Amino acid sequence: MEIGKIQELEIARSVEFGCYLTDGKEEVLIPAKYLPENYEIGDKLKVFVYTDHMSRPIAVTRWPYGQVGDIVGLKVKQVTDFGAFVDNGLEKDLLIPNKEQQAPMREDGAYAVMILLDYKTNRMIGSTKIGTFLLDQAEDLEEGQEVNVVIWQRTDLGYKVVIDSQYVGLVYNNEIFEKINLGDNKKAYIKHIREDGKIDVSLQKQGYEAVTDASDDIYQAIVDNGGTLDLGDKSSPEEIQDQFGISKKNFKRVLGGLYKAGKIEIFDYEIRLKTVEG
């Protein structure tokens, strides 16, 4: 039975306040509020196992934001003399001891956090000292691949991100078309793997897919707004970014495609649905 992991366990026996689950060797309590309405002894349940406030193992059907081994962006709920408590999506907050903090953490701040198991206490803890856990050269990634990233550190060029809890990548400032903050968890795409193995990341799909997705969004926005939109050929990149989170270059590609398809009319600062004659 693994503390800090989602796993499938079997219902072994029922008690007044819940059931005990087993992996064939050990048992763990699942409180009644986490049980399905209908169950039988021998049924298998997918659960997350961690230790409660009394340091007892407990099973729940409430998923955390991250399991042991994951690096995720988490927000600080409370700072104490001995560490910071972050919200990991469970009833019990996750402790990041002072010795595991890269720099002192502040309340309401968000950070990239590695979730670890303290083998002395059998409890989950967090660490922001994550650099040693990461690879800066791609091994199992491909260009165009969709990945999960955590916004980790700000640099002169942009932001370092943690890719799938394993790799370090970089998102360049001039390719960010949305508001981002340290500790954000986002979907992203492998843009380029350089000859030295370093990884460039984009927060948007690339090429044809990017334009296709944006085309659907923009056309639907015009329809939802009564057939017009206060953006056009001469609108600023900032206005386009604020509304659709894409570059002006891709915006103009989308407009060109919709225009050629006979769906819209384009003006300097307005787009209109094209009226079908007859």
Side-chain angles (χ1 to χ4, degrees), residues 1-9 45-50 60-68 70 90 124:
M1 192 173 298
E2 295 183 275
I3 300 294
K5 294 282 190 177
I6 294 171
Q7 55 211 283
E8 193 172 69
L9 300 175
L45 296 179
K46 195 173 184 180
V47 295
F48 179 74
V49 179
Y50 73 121
V60 298
T61 52
R62 180 175 175 174
W63 302 149
Y65 300 138
Q67 306 179 66
V68 167
D70 289 344
L90 301 168
M124 293 166 58

Side-chain angles (χ1 to χ4, degrees), residues 59-83:
V60 298
T61 52
R62 180 175 175 174
W63 302 149
Y65 300 138
Q67 306 179 66
V68 167
D70 289 344
I71 296 175
V72 289
L74 300 176
K75 188 175 182 179
V76 177
K77 292 180 68 175
Q78 182 184 13
V79 175
T80 70
D81 291 340
F82 53 87

